[in-house]
Amino acid sequence: MPLERKLIRFIRDQRFRYKKVHANREPGQEIDPVYKEKFKLLEEIQFEFKSKRKGRPKSDWIEAGWMANYGMLKEHFQKHGSYATLQYKMPLDRKLMRFSRYQRDQYKKVHADLQPGQEIDPVHKEKFKLLEEIQFEFEKKKRVKIAPGWMATYGMLKEYFQKHGGYGTLQYKMPLDSKLMHFIWESRALYKKVHANREPGQEIDPVHKEKFKLLKEIQLEFGSKQRPKWEKKFAEFEEFYAAARALQSSTGTSALQLDQDSEI
């Protein structure tokens, strides 16, 4: 109700003013006549300058609608670990994005209007505290744009990881698995190259940084612990072919003929 909200703000302001006036008084100093008259009028209607709400949880002060939206945002964070996955085309996500935008605007406004020495309104203070608990960023960071093709392949890799819990079951002979294996190798090569070429104290390119962050979220290891089967086979073949070429030079036998006559 608009009128009720107005009265709640008025009550809060009077309590804050009463506390501030008495906190700043020097011993024996008279209270400003205007404030003295205001406090007298308030006392006549049995106004309590100290809130009795102290025994109640601070979250009880916050409107139910805000707490409901906060609960959904908290659930999203616990499930996804961030807010970057929110999509505007999804109705619930859109609602959470609007809620997030309003909280940032509110945070900015409250701090901009704050006078030196003035305390933040207890309700806003509690809201900001709750949002900080779920790592909400009040200063929106510029979104890094990654190529759609990379994101599409990453999405398939993520889906594979969620289904299998790792990447050890990828098979090179399967077209989709082959594509994902190439993607993994390229990502590892990029990670190695970026870190090898960095000067001391140099920042990583924001796009690369975001890519590596996303890959770490699906537990991709940038230093391969075990060479993939295809790489092993290729190394064996390379070794065999080198031996065949050496034999060719000494006997005059074709390396291709050796390859055809041998069982691998």
Side-chain angles (χ1 to χ4, degrees), residues 70-251:
Y70 170 77
M72 289 187 287
L73 190 68
K74 183 178 180 179
E75 190 179 336
H76 182 93
F77 174 75
Q78 288 171 337
K79 188 177 179 182
H80 300 279
S82 74
Y83 306 104
T85 51
L86 287 168
Q87 297 180 53
Y88 194 78
K89 62 183 177 182
M90 306 295 287
L92 179 58
D93 284 16
R94 187 159 60 244
K95 185 177 181 180
L96 294 179
M97 288 172 84
R98 284 178 183 149
F99 177 75
S100 298
R101 194 160 52 240
Y102 182 75
Q103 303 318 306
R104 289 189 180 110
D105 291 344
Q106 201 65 26
Y107 183 87
K108 190 176 178 182
K109 186 177 185 298
V110 165
H111 284 81
D113 294 344
L114 215 61
Q115 299 298 319
Q118 185 183 352
E119 286 192 14
I120 296 174
D121 170 84
V123 175
H124 286 137
K125 194 173 183 178
E126 184 62 16
K127 283 180 178 179
F128 300 154
K129 178 177 165 287
L130 288 170
L131 289 164
E132 282 166 358
E133 285 174 7
I134 55 170
Q135 296 176 33
F136 183 81
E137 291 172 343
F138 292 101
E139 294 291 330
K140 191 176 180 182
K141 292 180 180 177
K142 286 184 178 178
R143 206 164 187 174
V144 177
K145 288 185 179 179
I146 298 173
W150 191 96
M151 285 304 296
T153 311
Y154 170 78
M156 289 187 284
L157 189 68
K158 184 178 180 179
E159 191 178 335
Y160 186 93
F161 173 74
Q162 289 170 338
K163 187 177 179 180
H164 300 278
Y167 308 104
T169 51
L170 285 166
Q171 297 180 51
Y172 195 77
K173 62 185 177 182
M174 305 294 287
L176 178 59
D177 285 16
S178 173
K179 183 178 181 178
L180 295 179
M181 288 171 84
H182 276 293
F183 180 75
I184 290 170
W185 297 336
E186 286 167 6
S187 298
R188 283 175 177 152
L190 179 66
Y191 184 87
K192 189 177 178 181
K193 185 182 176 184
V194 165
H195 284 80
N197 294 339
R198 273 178 75 202
E199 298 292 332
Q202 184 185 353
E203 283 287 318
I204 296 172
D205 175 85
V207 175
H208 290 146
K209 195 173 182 178
E210 185 63 18
K211 282 181 178 180
F212 300 152
K213 177 178 166 287
L214 289 169
L215 290 164
K216 282 175 183 174
E217 284 175 8
I218 55 170
Q219 297 176 32
L220 180 80
E221 292 171 344
F222 291 102
S224 177
K225 289 182 179 177
Q226 188 176 4
R227 295 176 77 185
K229 288 179 183 178
W230 185 88
E231 286 187 11
K232 284 184 179 178
K233 287 284 183 188
F234 179 76
E236 287 169 8
F237 172 75
E238 198 172 30
E239 193 177 330
F240 165 80
Y241 217 70
R245 281 197 299 270
L247 188 62
Q248 178 194 14
S249 62
S250 61
T251 63

